[in-house]
Amino acid sequence: MKKNIIITGGAGFIGSHVVRRLVNNYPEYHIINVDSLTYAGNLENLKDIEGKSNYEFLKADITDIIAMNTLFESRNIHSVIHLAAESHVDRSITNPLDFVQTNVFGTVILLNAFKAFGDVDNGRFYHVSTDEVYGALGDDGKFLETTPYSPNSPYSASKASSDHFVRAYHETYQLPIVISNCSNNYGSHQFPEKLIPLMIHNIKNNKPLPVYGKGENVRDWLWVNDHASAIDAVFHKGRNGETYNIGGNNEWRNIDLIKKLCEILDIKLNRENGTSEKLITYVNDRKGHDFRYAIDATKIESELGWSPSVNFADGFEKTIDWYLENDEWLNNVTSGNYQSYYKDMYEVR
Ligand code: NAD
Ligand code: DAU
């Protein structure tokens, strides 16, 4: 009998990499990808594994209590890897309630369904979370698993809240849970509302590159496939009730990262050196913009033996090549609603 594992949000950016990894590497699992296909969910991301016998897609909303309870009750669910979320900080500033609904309410609905019908003796509930729950750093220091929570955006407040619920279900009901908090991911299939694919798309189309504030904010970037391998390690080897920080040890000021992207794309697009950089446009800052994130990943490295597999130069190049080679994917996701999102977010900024 295969073990039924639910992965929520498996049609999104990180979720699709996690689903692919588990479907390909664990034939003993039957993976059920539960995703409501919001603007960020895209079945094109999983075309290559569509027909696999140990994979199934279920279009469902995690905030639908009846649908979730029915699913858990009828399918003998071993474990859950929960990634479904509203994930974009800028959208959370204009629409906080959507984030409460999916990230908080949806997580508690899944916890209840797993507690009532899941295999709480042998399986586990894994919440995939973010380093943004710890708030912002100054020039020095790194987030540890013991750093107090201090979320600053509606997005990070909703993820912090869901982390708290997951931990509380462990303390109160002894639910077998594990949580990981990861830094910024980059890689293929990321929706171009996020910094790197947005900039690649704009450079390709000779559009302005909107840099928030002075571009001095710092992010730690991890290749998405390395986040997927960390999730694999935490799911299989992490200790119940524990949190693991995941990061790339790879900090960049936004402006330096954007200039690097311009330099690489000038070469790849046969443009004169310096052409793309001229597109850089400083715009009004994000409200409550966290200055710096950095992760101390010692715990996952020493306890679970995980470390990133690629250096940034290689991962970044692979990523840029993917967006250049997948014009159709990029054109599809930037048509329709993306146009009005972009106009609202950037035209009067
Ligand atoms: P994403 O926005 O690309 O994908 C989210 C997925 O969840 C989409 O497929 C969407 O359709 C689905 N979804 C949204 N609401 C749903 C609902 N109510 N019911 C069912 N499905 C729903 O997000 P991502 O960047 O892949 O992030 C995945 C997870 O990882 C999130 O929980 C996020 O907080 C976390 N995370 C992201 C990053 C990052 O850099 N992107 C870093 C650390 C942690
Ligand atoms: O740290 C993990 C988090 O990383 C995840 O939990 C979030 O889901 C994910 O979206 C990401 O959050 P950020 O806000 O850091 O990512 P974003 O790509 O939106 O922005 C990265 C940095 O670039 C940030 O400092 C804001 C800046 N930025 C972003 C956009 C979209 C710009 O200067 N211009 C832009 O147009």
Side-chain angles (χ1 to χ4, degrees):
M1 254 293 260
K2 289 187 195 298
K3 289 176 183 160
N4 285 333
I5 314 279
I6 288 179
I7 299 181
T8 69
F13 166 49
I14 300 170
S16 60
H17 289 86
V18 175
V19 166
R20 182 174 299 103
R21 185 182 175 94
L22 266 69
V23 166
N24 287 334
N25 295 357
Y26 296 92
E28 66 273 33
Y29 294 163
H30 181 80
I31 302 294
I32 308 173
N33 172 9
V34 175
D35 197 299
S36 63
L37 300 181
T38 68
Y39 77 91
N42 186 350
L43 288 178
E44 284 290 299
N45 298 354
L46 290 162
K47 261 198 331 230
D48 53 322
I49 59 156
E50 233 165 40
K52 296 250 179 181
S53 61
N54 64 334
Y55 172 67
E56 173 185 349
F57 174 71
L58 179 70
K59 185 173 187 303
D61 192 321
I62 60 163
T63 67
D64 181 337
I65 299 178
I66 295 172
M68 289 306 110
N69 282 345
T70 307
L71 169 65
F72 279 78
E73 190 171 12
S74 61
R75 295 298 298 273
N76 192 19
I77 300 302
H78 181 270
S79 290
V80 180
I81 305 178
H82 174 36
L83 293 105
E86 288 294 336
S87 68
H88 193 42
V89 174
D90 290 325
R91 290 185 195 252
S92 82
I93 294 167
T94 29
N95 232 338
L97 260 185
D98 288 351
F99 288 68
V100 177
Q101 175 77 2
T102 289
N103 301 0
V104 185
F105 194 59
T107 299
V108 178
I109 286 170
L110 289 172
L111 284 166
N112 282 341
F114 184 64
K115 175 168 140 317
F117 307 111
D119 187 352
V120 294
D121 295 324
N122 305 298
R124 61 178 12 180
F125 187 101
Y126 177 4
H127 187 224
V128 175
S129 191
T130 171
D131 61 356
E132 300 198 10
V133 298
Y134 299 120
L137 292 164
D139 288 325
D140 302 315
K142 292 188 173 194
F143 297 133
L144 283 161
E145 287 80 359
T146 48
T147 303
Y149 275 30
S150 182
N152 292 317
S153 71
Y155 163 69
S156 53
S158 71
K159 293 294 292 188
S161 173
S162 49
D163 282 359
H164 287 322
F165 271 103
V166 174
R167 246 184 39 78
Y169 271 57
H170 176 67
E171 292 300 323
T172 309
Y173 310 110
Q174 290 77 52
L175 212 67
I177 66 97
V178 65
I179 298 171
S180 60
N181 297 85
C182 186
S183 62
N184 288 60
N185 285 210
Y186 69 92
S188 69
H189 303 91
Q190 187 171 29
F191 192 78
E193 64 190 350
K194 306 286 184 349
L195 181 72
I196 290 177
L198 183 145
M199 294 294 165
I200 295 174
H201 179 63
N202 285 13
I203 293 170
K204 275 177 69 185
N205 292 293
N206 276 308
K207 285 174 62 183
L209 309 179
V211 178
Y212 296 169
K214 293 183 180 154
E216 289 171 350
N217 301 62
V218 175
R219 296 292 181 266
D220 165 33
W221 293 95
L222 177 70
W223 193 41
V224 65
N225 300 67
D226 283 329
H227 188 191
S229 75
I231 289 172
D232 185 338
V234 171
F235 180 63
H236 290 102
K237 299 189 280 184
R239 283 180 291 134
N240 274 339
E242 292 287 319
T243 284
Y244 295 87
N245 281 354
I246 305 168
N249 208 8
N250 174 41
E251 292 180 48
W252 285 80
R253 289 196 318 162
N254 291 339
I255 190 63
D256 298 333
L257 186 74
I258 293 162
K259 285 185 178 167
K260 186 77 193 161
L261 194 53
C262 289
E263 190 190 307
I264 298 173
L265 275 168
D266 277 349
I267 297 168
K268 290 191 183 282
L269 297 171
N270 294 317
R271 292 178 180 169
E272 199 184 317
N273 183 27
T275 308
S276 301
E277 227 184 274
K278 293 199 186 99
L279 297 168
I280 290 176
T281 310
Y282 292 91
V283 300
N284 281 338
D285 211 349
R286 176 184 276 174
K287 288 189 177 80
H289 196 173
D290 283 339
F291 175 60
R292 174 173 165 259
Y293 305 139
I295 285 279
D296 183 330
T298 309
K299 181 174 173 183
I300 184 171
E301 286 169 1
S302 60
E303 212 179 277
L304 307 186
W306 173 86
S307 59
S309 70
V310 297
N311 64 41
F312 182 65
D314 291 345
F316 203 40
E317 175 134 9
K318 279 188 217 285
T319 300
I320 295 167
D321 287 343
W322 188 86
Y323 289 98
L324 293 179
E325 285 158 14
N326 287 276
D327 249 344
E328 200 182 325
W329 185 94
L330 205 47
N331 289 339
N332 284 346
V333 298
T334 52
S335 59
N337 290 342
Y338 182 80
Q339 296 299 324
S340 52
Y341 165 78
Y342 198 88
K343 199 161 156 255
D344 292 348
M345 188 59 69
Y346 294 100
E347 212 169 76
V348 288
R349 197 168 179 115

